[in-house]
Amino acid sequence: MRYEAEGDPLFAGYCYCADCRKASGSGFIPFIGFASTAVRFSGETRQFRSKSFRGGEAVRNFCPVCGGLVFGGEVGKDESHTIYAGSLDDPSSFHPKMAIFTRDRPAWALLPPDFTAFDTMPE
């Protein structure tokens, strides 16, 4: 499974919601948002679906070979995709600035002081 994203991301940060904590096995998941027109995917993925915060369906795509999370959303359906920062070839290109679902943040999962924080999902 491979992807290529063009241009600057729409946003980048950490999500502390219970679903992301479970998926990552950690206190948060680092993510980067891109418009669907800015990302190209190739190769096979497997999907996990769950109910989203807004009542729809959240789709996580993972590599069928290693099991690593790669991106969120459905190709050809969604207007944007969430790339999981752990899947980057160059981790130094990740520059998080925000945190979402901070209401669910475990006390031991630190929130960087310069982040813009949201209790849930921003509008």
Side-chain angles (χ1 to χ4, degrees):
M1 148 76 319
R2 300 289 302 164
Y3 63 85
E4 189 174 334
E6 294 178 347
D8 292 329
L10 302 170
F11 46 81
Y14 297 165
C15 181
Y16 293 94
C17 80
D19 286 342
C20 283
R21 291 194 327 267
K22 284 180 193 175
S24 70
S26 183
F28 61 90
I29 200 164
F31 64 89
I32 309 164
F34 284 95
S36 60
T37 56
V39 188
R40 286 183 303 286
F41 299 99
S42 61
E44 184 183 349
T45 65
R46 298 273 196 266
Q47 293 183 336
F48 176 78
R49 296 169 181 270
S50 62
K51 188 174 180 179
S52 74
F53 173 72
R54 293 196 171 117
E57 195 171 53
V59 179
R60 293 183 194 275
N61 296 271
F62 60 95
C63 175
V65 175
C66 71
L69 285 174
V70 181
F71 71 97
E74 283 191 81
V75 176
K77 268 185 137 177
D78 291 316
E79 294 180 11
S80 64
H81 293 289
T82 302
I83 303 295
Y84 299 112
S87 70
L88 292 170
D89 287 339
D90 178 10
S92 70
S93 64
F94 178 56
H95 303 286
K97 301 283 184 215
M98 66 186 290
I100 60 176
F101 289 96
T102 57
R103 71 175 188 192
D104 300 332
R105 181 181 62 85
W108 52 265
L110 302 179
L111 178 63
D114 58 339
F115 273 30
T116 301
F118 299 92
D119 282 344
T120 60
M121 180 74 81
E123 292 299 320

